[in-house]
Amino acid sequence: METTLRGVGVSHGVAIGEVRHMGTAVLEPPARQIPAEEAEREQGRARQAVEAVAADLMARGNLAGGEAQAVLEAQALMAQDPELIADVDRRIAVGSTAERAVYDAFAAYRDLLAGAGEYLAGRVADLDDVRNRIVARLLGVPMPGVPDSDEPYVLVARDLAPADTALLDPTLVLGFVTEEGGPTSHSAILARALGVPAVVALPGAVELAEGTVIAVDGSTGEIFVNPGEEKKAQLEASAAERKAALASATGPGATSDGHKVPLLANIGGPADVAAALAAGAEGVGLFRTEFLFLDDSKSAPSEEKQVETYQQVLEAFPEGRVVVRVLDAGADKPLDFLTPADEPNPALGVRGLRTLLEHPEVLRTQLSALAKAAEGLPVYLEVMAPMVADRTDAKAFADACRAAGLRAKFGAMVEIPSAALRARSVLQEVEFLSLGTNDLAQYTFAADRQVGAVSRLQDPWQPALLDLVAIAAEAARAEGKSCGVCGEAASDPMLACVLTGLGVTSLSMGAASLPYVRATLAKYTLAQCERAAAAARAADSADEARTAAQAVLSGE
């Protein structure tokens, strides 16, 4: 019997195949006492397992490259956390086996993170994966992970760890479905980078029986269980139509009546450049430089290393626009040498620009490196600060840029509602705005971007979020300045049309989404986009906004 389920679509495309479930989590090791003379040997076993898992995660990162590499390297550092290792040693010293000590130490740390506020829930999932890998190695059992299969399948899991998502084989994994996660979780972002259709936050996903045939629509978030031949044909025809539209859409982003909307790429470093160029990116709308800093959380990279990395990106876009976000540390991206470990709620504490203003030497070195990297290159460099709250923040950043001798446009990210509401004031100090819709939604709705239970409020179609986008875009227009979107909202083709209708001047997204957005924008006039935007803002919920905009664009 055919049934339809709905989750949150996070990666475009259609996949039809049999369900295969993720390998089961490691069982809890038995609690047994060891003689005191075995403690040193068990401590050695624990350390060897930790180092082996960290090395495996680093190796997976090197193979994956790009954003995935930075995420996996952060997990490797988590495995080697000195406090965790010290706790494991203490537990072994009083009689625990290595595997039980690891299990209990990670459980205690997990409780601490959970008690520190839901913002760290995404890191809890990563911590669980690291624990499972270490315990599996100690027990000598298969590592939890993607199932073995010679035939293509749809992967179903409660959640997917970055280590698994990063190395999915798109020729075997047709798509994936998870019960947890949200549209801006690590797995969702990596799925878009891979171009694998994906749906997250699907209630009851793990109850889908092994071998059941399902159809996954990563655009709508719909899951069709046991689809009939008619439904399969309909979905396949829709997918073929989309593929043909993608192939025919080339060149700069624009509406059908010629209104230009530059389409830019979000990247984490040089490894992401090739995909961006292949997808026809007109430049970079968000260069996340924190991934460079995550290589070593104990100290900042040298100015020389930064110059080399920035040059590789800038050289790839001659005559193009490259927007660099200075280090965004704190909250879910802690760095030992910068961010405090004892903040009760890191998401609302010292992060982003606040961190840099407390450590001016780090900001000064980064800005100097950017100035040197751009010297003599025919590139339009723009540099922006994360987590700008008001004009005072914007001025402090602009002053720092000028002091570093940076010849570039200075901008501010709009991720805090106050910056959107007072955008004209902020624009007295900077030359452009860039809307980070992921964090803007998080702070607007008090909804952690990593928690599946509140994914409804993380939906970028929420009318209140669209109102803030409209306010910021109108302020930029009034000041004769630009206002782009670099959050994941830009990767939704229909929402890209709405954002254009709201007055956004450029869109930046993962490379895999660029063809979809380019093809969709080219189908509609600017006036149609504006009418769709007005209809979406007049709605009372995200679903109603999406339906209203679709009705306008389809001519209903």
Side-chain angles (χ1 to χ4, degrees):
M1 177 180 163
E2 182 180 317
T3 57
T4 304
L5 307 174
R6 182 180 286 277
V8 178
V10 296
S11 185
H12 306 298
V14 171
I16 302 174
E18 291 188 2
V19 166
R20 292 286 181 273
H21 284 275
M22 197 72 173
T24 55
V26 175
L27 295 175
E28 180 178 346
R32 67 180 181 84
Q33 288 292 111
I34 60 168
E37 58 269 21
E38 292 184 17
E40 187 173 345
R41 180 178 67 84
E42 289 295 286
Q43 288 170 341
R45 285 183 63 227
R47 288 176 182 273
Q48 287 174 359
V50 165
E51 292 304 318
V53 166
D56 177 61
L57 290 168
M58 293 290 282
R60 286 168 178 259
N62 289 333
L63 284 172
E67 294 183 16
Q69 181 173 3
V71 172
L72 292 174
E73 287 176 352
Q75 266 198 298
L77 291 171
M78 183 184 289
Q80 297 169 304
D81 183 276
E83 290 187 16
L84 266 173
I85 292 173
D87 191 18
V88 170
D89 283 345
R90 284 193 295 270
R91 292 173 187 273
I92 293 173
V94 295
S96 283
T97 61
E99 49 266 36
R100 185 70 206 193
V102 168
Y103 187 91
D104 289 340
F106 272 74
Y109 193 41
R110 189 186 199 280
D111 290 342
L112 282 174
L113 289 183
E118 286 190 327
Y119 192 87
L120 294 173
R123 292 186 64 79
V124 166
D126 291 356
L127 188 72
D128 287 346
D129 180 58
V130 172
R131 175 205 63 201
N132 289 347
R133 291 173 185 278
I134 297 172
V135 172
R137 185 170 290 274
L138 287 165
L139 291 175
V141 300
M143 203 69 69
V146 178
D148 290 328
S149 175
D150 295 328
E151 297 296 324
Y153 60 90
V154 176
L155 181 62
V156 175
R158 185 168 300 280
D159 203 354
L160 284 172
D164 298 311
T165 316
L167 296 182
L168 289 180
D169 182 351
T171 63
L172 281 177
V173 181
L174 302 172
F176 68 73
V177 179
T178 67
E179 190 160 314
E180 299 294 329
T184 59
S185 64
H186 282 152
S187 292
I189 291 171
L190 294 178
R192 285 188 284 272
L194 286 167
V196 177
V199 172
V200 301
L202 178 74
V206 295
E207 295 170 17
L208 291 167
E210 186 87 1
T212 302
V213 175
I214 64 172
V216 179
D217 191 328
S219 300
T220 66
E222 290 175 304
I223 303 293
F224 303 95
V225 183
N226 296 315
E229 293 306 314
E230 185 178 346
K231 174 58 72 175
K232 287 182 183 178
Q234 179 187 338
L235 289 169
E236 286 168 351
S238 175
E241 184 182 328
R242 275 192 287 231
K243 188 174 182 180
L246 293 180
S248 65
T250 57
T255 58
S256 63
D257 56 341
H259 175 72
K260 293 183 179 179
V261 186
L263 300 180
L264 313 169
N266 294 344
I267 68 169
D272 296 332
V273 167
L277 291 172
E282 297 170 58
V284 173
L286 173 62
F287 180 179
R288 300 182 179 99
T289 59
E290 60 269 18
F291 292 129
L292 176 60
F293 287 75
L294 286 171
D295 283 348
D296 179 5
S297 70
K298 305 295 183 187
S299 61
S302 67
E303 183 174 316
E304 292 73 21
K305 181 178 181 180
Q306 291 189 56
V307 170
E308 180 185 356
T309 302
Y310 303 149
Q311 274 181 338
Q312 290 178 53
V313 173
L314 296 177
E315 288 171 349
F317 295 93
E319 305 299 332
R321 177 186 179 201
V322 175
V323 184
V324 178
R325 179 176 71 189
V326 294
L327 176 62
D328 183 15
D332 63 341
K333 298 182 284 286
L335 293 171
D336 292 346
F337 69 96
L338 279 184
T339 50
D342 56 351
E343 282 191 303
N345 191 339
L348 302 180
V350 181
R351 65 166 293 197
L353 180 61
R354 299 168 188 175
T355 300
L356 292 174
L357 294 178
E358 284 201 355
H359 299 270
E361 71 287 353
V362 174
L363 177 59
R364 185 165 52 248
T365 299
Q366 185 171 23
L367 294 175
S368 175
L370 284 165
K372 291 178 181 177
E375 194 171 337
L377 294 180
V379 65
Y380 297 97
L381 175 63
E382 301 184 8
V383 183
M384 61 185 180
M387 302 301 293
V388 170
D390 56 15
R391 182 173 179 173
T392 300
D393 279 352
K395 183 178 187 305
F397 178 66
D399 287 347
C401 289
R402 282 187 283 268
L406 192 61
R407 294 181 180 177
K409 284 188 175 181
F410 317 141
M413 289 200 71
V414 177
E415 301 164 285
I416 302 173
S418 62
L421 294 169
R422 300 287 294 171
R424 289 198 73 169
S425 174
V426 170
L427 283 165
Q428 303 311 302
E429 304 295 341
V430 294
E431 297 170 83
F432 69 94
L433 300 177
S434 183
L435 289 144
T437 51
N438 304 346
D439 270 321
L440 186 57
Q442 173 170 256
Y443 290 120
T444 299
F445 297 103
D448 187 337
R449 56 190 284 188
Q450 297 289 350
V451 177
V454 294
S455 61
R456 175 181 74 83
L457 296 170
Q458 266 292 331
D459 191 325
W461 281 93
Q462 284 285 355
L465 185 66
L466 299 180
D467 286 344
L468 291 173
V469 173
I471 289 169
E474 171 56 27
R477 188 199 63 77
E479 294 293 329
K481 296 179 179 179
S482 63
C483 177
V485 167
C486 64
E488 290 299 317
S491 65
D492 178 333
M494 189 164 62
L495 185 51
C497 295
V498 167
L499 294 171
T500 298
L502 292 174
V504 166
T505 56
S506 65
L507 298 166
S508 189
M509 64 208 75
S513 298
L514 284 163
Y516 291 91
V517 172
R518 182 183 294 111
T520 304
L521 264 180
K523 291 165 59 177
Y524 305 108
T525 65
L526 176 59
Q528 285 176 297
C529 293
E530 289 171 342
R531 288 197 295 274
R537 288 185 68 190
D540 291 320
S541 71
D543 285 343
E544 290 178 12
R546 188 182 286 107
T547 300
Q550 189 167 23
V552 170
L553 294 176
S554 62
E556 296 176 6

